[in-house]
Amino acid sequence: MNTFSFVIFATLLFWPAASSAQLNVLISGGFSGAYEQLLPEFERTSGIKVTTGSGASQGAGPQTIAVQLARGVPANVVILSREGLSELIAANRIAAGTDVDLARVPLGVAVRPGTPKPDVSTVDAFKQVLLKAKTVAIPGSTSGIWLTTDLFPRLGIAEKINVKMTPRGTDATGMVAAGGADLAVMPVSEIVHAGLDFAGSIRPEIQFVQVFSAAVVAGSGEIEGSRRLIEFLASARASEAIRKSGMEPLAISR
C-alpha cells in the first residue's frame, strides 16, 4: 500500500500541470485606460492569461490593427473603434456575431499640465483656439480622419490651421506633453489616460461621439476565453472603471 501511494504521489508530482487558456488582444488607445484597470481582475478571477498588443483603429502605417492582423500578428480579441471594426468585419477578419459595443466617448481638447486651459465652450471659441494655436495634434486614426475630412473643412479652417496628424493617440498626447503642440483634439478617454489637462469637450453640434467595440478574431483558437473576456468588459462590474476613464459604458451586443 505504501509503495502504491508513493507511486501515485510521484506520478502526480511530475505530471504536467494543466495549462490555463491564454489570449492575445490587440487594442487601440481609446479604450486602453479602462482596459488596463480591468485586466488584472479578469486574469485573477478567470485564470486566463492575457498578452496585450496595441494598434490604431484605422489609418495608414504598419501599426494599424488591420495591417497587424494581415501580416499574421496573433490575436484572439480586438478592441477598437466601431468604424475600424466594421472594416475588419467587411474583410472577414471577425468571427460572425461576436462584436459587442463597450463604451462611447466624445472628443475633447487636451493641453499640457500647468498651461492655461482655452475656452472651448462655444463653436466659435473652439475655432478661435484652433486658429491661434501654432500646432494642433490629432491622432491619425478614426477621430483624426473625421476631423480632417469633416469638421475642419466644415468650420472653414482646414487650410488655416497647422495640424499634425500622428500615427497614434499616444504620439499626439506626447507632442502636447513635450511642448511640440499647443493642444490636441482627441477622445476624452485618451486625454485622461495620458494625464494631460482636459480643457473640455467640443460642442454637441460639432461633436463626434466615438464607439469602442470588441470582437473575436476569425480563426481564434480560444473562442470560449475570448467570449469570457468580452463579456467581462461589457459587464456591470466594468462600468465604474469605464466611467472613470472618461467613457460611457454601453454593453450592447450588436
Side-chain angles (χ1 to χ4, degrees):
M1 183 69 178
N2 288 340
T3 302
F4 178 76
S5 298
F6 174 78
V7 171
I8 293 296
F9 173 77
T11 301
L12 291 173
L13 183 64
F14 293 104
W15 194 268
S19 59
S20 61
Q22 295 192 358
L23 297 178
N24 291 305
V25 174
L26 280 176
I27 183 171
S28 65
F31 196 76
S32 292
Y35 174 83
E36 289 174 10
Q37 293 181 55
L38 293 165
L39 186 60
E41 180 179 347
F42 173 77
E43 290 184 314
R44 184 176 65 252
T45 57
S46 69
I48 297 173
K49 177 67 177 175
V50 181
T51 300
T52 306
S54 67
S57 294
Q58 292 181 288
Q63 294 306 311
T64 63
I65 289 176
V67 170
Q68 290 189 60
L69 291 177
R71 69 169 180 259
V73 172
N76 305 103
V77 173
V78 290
I79 305 171
L80 69 168
S81 73
R82 171 51 72 170
E83 289 82 0
L85 181 57
S86 295
E87 291 178 354
L88 295 181
I89 292 172
N92 297 317
R93 293 282 184 186
I94 299 300
T98 62
D99 53 313
V100 175
D101 290 338
L102 301 175
R104 62 185 171 195
V105 59
L107 297 182
V109 175
V111 295
R112 186 161 52 92
T115 59
K117 293 181 181 179
D119 176 17
V120 294
S121 60
T122 67
V123 174
D124 189 61
F126 175 65
K127 283 178 61 175
Q128 293 307 312
V129 166
L130 296 177
L131 288 167
K132 291 175 183 176
K134 292 181 181 178
T135 304
V136 178
I138 61 174
S141 189
T142 305
S143 59
I145 293 169
W146 179 81
L147 287 167
T148 55
T149 62
D150 188 319
L151 183 60
F152 294 161
R154 187 159 27 114
L155 294 177
I157 58 174
E159 306 300 325
K160 301 177 183 178
I161 57 176
N162 180 29
V163 175
K164 174 64 176 177
M165 182 179 278
T166 64
R168 301 290 311 278
T170 50
D171 300 314
T173 56
M175 280 190 68
V176 174
D182 298 321
L183 56 93
V185 184
M186 59 198 311
V188 172
S189 55
E190 296 196 63
I191 298 171
V192 173
H193 191 216
L196 296 178
D197 279 357
F198 174 50
S201 298
I202 65 176
R203 290 291 301 168
E205 55 264 42
I206 56 169
Q207 183 60 262
F208 175 61
V209 178
Q210 204 165 328
V211 173
F212 284 86
S213 311
V216 180
V217 177
S220 170
E222 293 288 350
I223 296 293
E224 181 57 32
S226 298
R227 287 184 181 275
R228 287 181 66 184
L229 173 59
I230 293 172
E231 287 171 2
F232 176 78
L233 296 175
S235 69
R237 172 65 190 85
S239 295
E240 182 180 358
I242 290 172
R243 288 193 180 93
K244 284 182 177 179
S245 74
M247 310 183 88
E248 178 188 351
L250 292 177
I252 301 173
S253 276
R254 293 176 67 110

